[in-house]
Amino acid sequence: SYELTQPLSVSVALGQTARITCGGNNIGSKNVHWYQQKPGQAPVLVIYRDSNRPSGIPERFSGSNSGNTATLTISRAQAGDEADYYCQVWDSSTALCVFGTGTKVTVL
Amino acid sequence: EVQLVESGGGLVKPGGSLRLSCAASGFTFSNAWMSWVRQAPGKGLEWVGRIKSKTDGGTTDYAAPVKGRFTISRDDSKNTLYLQMNSLKTEDTAVYYCTTERNYYDSSGYSNWFDPWGQGTLVTVSS
C-alpha cells in the first residue's frame, strides 16, 4: 500500500519559515493536499492540489510537489500556526485515500 | 454557511454495534460525495470510507481495517450521512469525522480532498 512519511516534529522561530515535508514514492505524479489540526479541533484544509489555497487561508501558506517529496511552507510563522499538519493523497492503484503520519509544528 | 454535525458516538463493548449520523446543511447534500475519517487518541488521521452521490452511482469504498464491518449510507431527503459500525473492536476507538469530498480529474488521474469537516464524535470501544 502507498505510504506517506512526514517528520514527527518541526520547530520554527517566530517570524521565520517552516518547511514540512511529505515523502512518498513518485509523489510528484499525484495531487497532494494539506490539513492543519489544532488541539481539540477538526482538521482544516490549508492547501489543495499541491499549491492552491482555499479562501480564508493566509498567503503565508504555500505548497510544492516534485519527485518523491511534497512540501508545505509556512512563511513568517506565527504563534497561531502551532498545530499538527497532515498531507493526503488518493492512491489510484488501490482506490484508497492515504494520509501522512503527521507533523507537529512548534513556534519558538 | 456549510455545516456538518456528527452525533451518535459513545461507549460500546467489543463486538457491539453503533450508528453514527452526520447532519449536513448549507450546501446541496445530494450532489456531494461524503467521507468518514477517524482519529484514534493521540494518533493521526485515518480514512474510513466514502459514499458517492446517487447521480454518480451512490457506491461506497472502504479502508481495509473496516471493510465488511462498517457500512456507509445516506438519506438525501434528510441531508444526513450515516456510518453503521458492527463487530466493533477496541482499535476502532477514535473520534469520527464526517467530511465533504472534493473531486478533481487531470492528467495525473483522479484526486480528492476534504473540506469542510464536522466537529467529530467520539466512539469508545471497551469492556
Side-chain angles (χ1 to χ4, degrees):
Chain A
S1 61
Y2 195 77
E3 294 183 352
L4 295 174
T5 302
Q6 300 181 234
L8 199 57
S9 63
V10 166
S11 297
V12 58
L14 186 68
Q16 297 304 302
T17 298
R19 292 180 180 83
I20 305 155
T21 58
C22 175
N25 184 34
N26 197 26
I27 195 174
S29 66
K30 302 180 184 299
N31 287 296
V32 179
H33 321 291
W34 292 90
Y35 303 88
Q36 175 194 69
Q37 186 180 32
K38 296 181 179 180
Q41 297 185 18
V44 172
L45 179 74
V46 293
I47 292 288
Y48 65 98
R49 284 172 41 211
D50 297 342
S51 59
N52 294 276
R53 278 179 293 103
S55 83
I57 300 302
E59 290 182 8
R60 301 184 298 103
F61 288 83
S62 61
S64 62
N65 183 19
S66 178
N68 293 317
T69 305
T71 303
L72 173 68
T73 301
I74 308 174
S75 304
R76 302 181 299 285
Q78 301 179 359
D81 298 332
E82 284 204 338
D84 294 326
Y85 291 83
Y86 296 90
C87 56
Q88 176 250 317
V89 301
W90 178 261
D91 180 20
S92 298
S93 64
T94 57
L96 295 174
C97 170
V98 181
F99 284 98
T101 49
T103 298
K104 181 177 182 60
V105 170
T106 301
V107 179
L108 305 173
Chain B
E1 179 195 3
V2 174
Q3 200 168 12
L4 299 169
V5 179
E6 302 94 335
S7 60
L11 176 63
V12 61
K13 288 182 167 51
S17 297
L18 204 60
R19 188 177 83 157
L20 307 183
S21 300
C22 171
S25 60
F27 65 103
T28 307
F29 179 77
S30 60
N31 290 344
W33 293 23
M34 300 295 296
S35 275
W36 289 95
V37 176
R38 69 183 180 181
Q39 186 171 36
K43 303 297 185 183
L45 301 173
E46 180 185 25
W47 182 72
V48 172
R50 73 163 176 203
I51 186 166
K52 299 179 181 179
S53 63
K54 285 193 168 52
T55 55
D56 290 315
T59 55
T60 52
D61 296 292
Y62 298 96
V66 307
K67 201 167 187 177
R69 300 187 298 122
F70 289 13
T71 302
I72 298 173
S73 61
R74 62 192 300 157
D75 185 338
D76 291 343
S77 68
K78 295 182 178 178
N79 288 348
T80 302
L81 176 73
Y82 301 102
L83 178 64
Q84 177 67 44
M85 303 183 292
N86 298 331
S87 304
L88 281 161
K89 306 176 181 180
T90 55
E91 52 263 41
D92 294 320
T93 293
V95 173
Y96 285 74
Y97 297 100
C98 77
T99 179
T100 303
E101 186 172 319
R102 312 289 181 177
N103 314 116
Y104 181 75
Y105 295 85
D106 65 4
S107 57
S108 302
Y110 169 80
S111 179
N112 68 340
W113 60 94
F114 306 109
D115 180 48
W117 298 58
Q119 86 289 349
T121 187
L122 176 62
V123 172
T124 303
V125 185
S126 173
S127 54

